[in-house]
Amino acid sequence: MDGGSTLPVVHTQTAEFISDPNSVVGRGDDRPLLAQGDFGVEVLDYELVQACFRDRRLGNRNGRYFEKMGASPLVKEFITQGNFNMFDPEQHDRVRKVSVRAFMGRGFDHIREPVRAIGEALIARFIDRGRCNLVADFSHQFTIRAVSCFVGIAPEDVLTFDQATVELRLLGQAPLTPWLPRLDAALATLKAYGEKLIAEKRARPGEDYISDLIRASDEDGALTPLELTWSVANVLLAGHDTTRYQTTGLVRAVIEAGDWERVHQDNALIAPAVNEAMRLYPATPRQVKVALEPFEMGGHRFQSDDVIVPNMSAAGRDPRKFQDPDRFIIGRDPQQTVFFGFGNHHCLGHMLARTEMEVALKLLTDRLADVAVDGPIEMKPTGVIAGVETLPLTFRRRG
């Protein structure tokens, strides 16, 4: 950014900011639109964050960005061949087009019953104890098993990679180099599993996302073999850690607001509760963009290659947009959320993630009563994916 420009400095890579961003950036008229943060220039205003997703003068982190960060060959391969949120525009549009066909072809209603069964089995393991850590005992396994079911992965395979998908959050760390050994190990695991799964689905296609993706790609040669292999890692990354944190944030928000029994008694409140929890506790609290050319935003001049960070945590609590922004209000108006992005970068899996969270909240409120937080809430402010790592609860079995 222009050397003569001055911005307030905020540290967003903290548990305090992730839990309560307005306690850091302010709630009054002097709340800044932009600030200098841990990753670049943080965009804190809702309208500006929304505009960032649609502004063609901003690009995503890509292979060149990660090369400057000192990425290993395997990390660069995943970024350029697997994580299409970081592809250059032509590659992104080509891969997204075929992925949309595979993702949306069957809809999501068929997945509700298998996902419900996954949740029932997990709850049965801890319900008689009267206490749990929601992350370790439920949301970690619930979300990876749910997305694996949709993808077409056998349940017995999940433990092969469920920790590797969590490790990929380290792609959002700055600096990157201290984390490369862990990232390389995780990516090697996921690449090997992706190669195995693609081969199996080619030999014995099923009624699932990967089989549909292979069929859609083969019809017009849309994906290269590497893109197809890495698509497995990409969908597992996108569908596990984010939804794991978001499900936990949803439960936390409902408990803190005192709405547990209200949601249990009126299931029509479940979907708007999910939406409100994403505003209050987004599992992707930020994205990272790169300026493609000089331009002005929020009264400041940016130069090419400047790093610009749309901050969803701050935007979701912007008092210019939301009345009483730090309160969890089911069905609030407006109900906008920036969690899933916008336009051509709107998350492909948003309906699957919503389905999982709706099923989880209904199951938990149906099975557990007198739910209360019982101990410190441990936060994990790691890069572009962050949230509650430990949520200790006490409860009694309902009925």
Side-chain angles (χ1 to χ4, degrees), residues 221-343:
L223 302 185
T224 68
L226 263 182
E227 287 170 344
L228 196 56
T229 293
W230 279 118
S231 67
V232 177
N234 186 52
V235 73
L236 292 174
L237 163 63
H240 183 204
D241 216 17
T242 51
T243 315
R244 177 179 91 138
Y245 278 138
Q246 200 62 68
T247 300
T248 308
L250 169 63
V251 170
R252 175 189 183 182
V254 173
I255 293 171
E256 289 178 340
D259 285 333
W260 193 264
E261 289 304 312
R262 183 176 168 222
V263 170
H264 167 62
Q265 293 165 12
D266 185 359
N267 288 171
L269 299 177
I270 290 176
V274 168
N275 209 60
E276 178 70 342
M278 289 190 295
R279 180 192 70 82
L280 204 65
Y281 294 124
T284 52
R286 63 178 62 82
Q287 290 293 331
V288 180
K289 303 282 185 179
V290 179
L292 302 178
E293 60 185 71
F295 73 100
E296 187 173 302
M297 179 177 64
H300 293 270
R301 185 76 178 168
F302 294 89
Q303 302 299 329
S304 297
D305 294 330
D306 280 349
V307 177
I308 300 167
V309 184
N311 191 300
M312 274 80 86
S313 287
R317 299 202 190 198
D318 186 350
R320 304 177 188 94
K321 184 69 175 180
F322 302 100
Q323 187 175 7
D324 204 358
D326 298 318
R327 276 188 63 207
F328 180 80
I329 303 173
I330 296 177
R332 74 158 56 238
D333 185 32
Q335 295 189 55
Q336 294 101 323
T337 176
V338 290
F339 175 70
F340 286 122
F342 292 93

Side-chain angles (χ1 to χ4, degrees), residues 80-135:
T80 59
Q81 304 299 317
N83 192 329
F84 70 77
N85 286 326
M86 299 180 188
F87 288 170
D88 289 331
E90 180 280 327
Q91 185 186 17
H92 172 272
D93 292 349
R94 170 175 56 81
V95 175
R96 181 182 172 88
K97 182 178 179 180
V98 69
S99 299
V100 166
R101 288 169 57 193
F103 227 103
M104 307 303 291
R106 300 178 187 278
F108 299 95
D109 284 343
H110 71 285
I111 204 72
R112 283 185 179 270
E113 182 55 31
V115 169
R116 188 197 65 77
I118 291 167
E120 290 273 22
L122 292 169
I123 292 171
R125 295 179 184 178
F126 63 78
I127 193 168
D128 290 329
R129 298 204 309 258
R131 63 189 314 113
C132 71
N133 168 16
L134 190 77
V135 180

Side-chain angles (χ1 to χ4, degrees), residues 13-173:
Q13 184 75 333
T14 65
E16 178 188 11
F17 186 91
I18 298 300
S19 288
D20 186 7
N22 284 343
S23 69
V24 177
V25 299
R27 297 175 172 86
D29 294 338
D30 59 346
R31 186 183 197 265
L33 303 177
L34 307 172
Q36 184 64 49
D38 301 312
F39 295 86
V41 176
E42 304 266 350
V43 184
L44 309 174
D45 175 79
Y46 182 94
E47 300 296 344
L48 290 181
V49 165
Q50 189 177 56
C52 283
F53 285 95
R54 295 175 171 146
D55 197 325
R56 294 185 177 273
R57 299 169 300 181
L58 292 176
N60 295 314
R61 294 176 297 165
N62 55 23
R64 294 182 296 279
Y65 173 92
F66 278 91
E67 192 168 359
K68 290 179 182 178
M69 295 279 286
S72 67
L74 195 56
V75 168
K76 286 188 286 186
E77 182 178 292
F78 174 62
I79 295 303
T80 59
Q81 304 299 317
N83 192 329
F84 70 77
N85 286 326
M86 299 180 188
F87 288 170
D88 289 331
E90 180 280 327
Q91 185 186 17
H92 172 272
D93 292 349
R94 170 175 56 81
V95 175
R96 181 182 172 88
K97 182 178 179 180
V98 69
S99 299
V100 166
R101 288 169 57 193
F103 227 103
M104 307 303 291
R106 300 178 187 278
F108 299 95
D109 284 343
H110 71 285
I111 204 72
R112 283 185 179 270
E113 182 55 31
V115 169
R116 188 197 65 77
I118 291 167
E120 290 273 22
L122 292 169
I123 292 171
R125 295 179 184 178
F126 63 78
I127 193 168
D128 290 329
R129 298 204 309 258
R131 63 189 314 113
C132 71
N133 168 16
L134 190 77
V135 180
D137 292 325
F138 184 78
S139 58
H140 174 81
Q141 283 297 319
F142 176 74
T143 51
I144 189 60
R145 291 183 181 278
V147 73
S148 295
C149 178
F150 176 78
V151 166
I153 292 171
E156 58 270 21
D157 284 359
V158 170
L159 292 179
T160 303
F161 54 76
D162 72 310
Q163 293 300 321
T165 55
V166 172
E167 288 285 82
L168 293 195
R169 75 174 76 148
L170 297 173
L171 288 166
Q173 294 286 17

